[in-house]
Amino acid sequence: MTFVIPQPPVPTVAIAGSDQVFPVHRVYCVGRNYAEHAREMGHDPDREPPFFFQKSPDNLLPAGAPGGGDFPYPSKSENVHHEIELVCALSGGGTDIPEDKAMDLVWGFGVGLDMTRRDLQGEAKKAGRPWDVGKAFEHAAPIAPLHPATETGDMSQARVWLDINGETRQDGNTNQLIWSMPETIAYLSGLFELRPGDLIFTGTPAGVGPVVRGDVLEGGVEGLTGIKITVT
Ligand code: MN
């Protein structure tokens, strides 16, 4: 078999302390998965089943601290928001995974930023249109190197935070997730066939807000390599 155009590269994420990389199949994101964040976006967290959107694997931007990565301020937006998130990386897959088997699919964890063109997302919400232009643009998914779950444990209780220019803006804990990781994986596997290489951005705690050019964002999840981006 030959390709009619050059084969696009396989998107990958670095592995902490290793030359190996994690090849990415899909990037799923959970919406409004922390109660305080759901409220700050104007929703009642008690009445909503989990919902999902996707980013494109080639939206990933290598951004492990201390060096971090440059995040070019995207086009067509004047209100780009940060959302710091725990990211779960799958080495297994399947459909209709039971909750008690869900964590068996997990290879490891990393820190990610779900960068969002909030103004375009807001217009899409109002018009009942898809969120893609707000969520799945170039460099919209900065990510730090992954750690294997064999080293980190299940990450069900870990601080999640983001500082901008040294000032803390988001500060939560994965024990505040409305839908836990096993619940999320089980639910998601009913909607899609999960595959090795899938990433799941698990949602962001409260405190999201706009970034401007020159901002330095540094964040983390307790126990994992931190993330850093400079908005350019
Ligand atoms: Mn998010």
Side-chain angles (χ1 to χ4, degrees), residues 12-159:
T12 60
V13 180
I15 306 295
S18 168
D19 291 336
Q20 291 189 292
V21 294
F22 183 90
V24 178
H25 174 245
R26 287 184 188 161
V27 179
Y28 296 104
C29 305
V30 190
R32 298 179 208 129
N33 205 14
Y34 287 80
E36 284 305 315
H37 173 62
R39 286 188 201 103
E40 78 181 345
M41 299 304 287
H43 294 267
D44 178 353
D46 296 329
R47 288 187 307 189
E48 291 190 323
F51 72 94
F52 305 92
F53 56 90
Q54 291 184 42
K55 293 183 185 252
S56 297
D58 69 353
N59 297 154
L60 292 162
L61 172 72
D70 285 346
F71 172 81
Y73 198 94
S75 63
K76 308 291 184 189
S77 179
E78 289 173 354
N79 190 20
V80 175
H81 276 205
H82 55 82
E83 296 189 1
I84 187 78
E85 309 200 1
L86 172 67
V87 180
C88 178
L90 302 189
S91 55
T95 55
D96 298 321
I97 308 290
E99 272 174 40
D100 63 351
K101 301 275 183 242
M103 296 310 283
D104 297 348
L105 271 52
V106 175
W107 182 84
F109 299 98
V111 183
L113 277 163
D114 167 12
M115 299 303 290
T116 303
R117 289 195 280 213
R118 194 71 79 199
D119 42 2
L120 300 191
Q121 184 199 24
E123 288 167 20
K125 282 181 187 173
K126 220 178 288 175
R129 290 179 183 149
W131 286 11
D132 302 47
V133 295
K135 290 291 195 178
F137 53 92
E138 271 52 60
H139 315 295
I143 191 162
L146 303 176
H147 293 252
T150 49
E151 290 174 10
T152 64
D154 69 6
M155 300 301 290
S156 59
Q157 182 155 332
R159 184 182 173 225

Side-chain angles (χ1 to χ4, degrees), residues 162-183:
L162 182 79
D163 297 349
I164 301 184
N165 306 324
E167 186 184 310
T168 301
R169 300 292 182 86
Q170 294 187 264
D171 198 351
N173 193 294
T174 58
N175 64 15
Q176 300 162 339
L177 285 170
I178 295 171
W179 298 93
S180 69
M181 266 179 290
E183 289 171 337

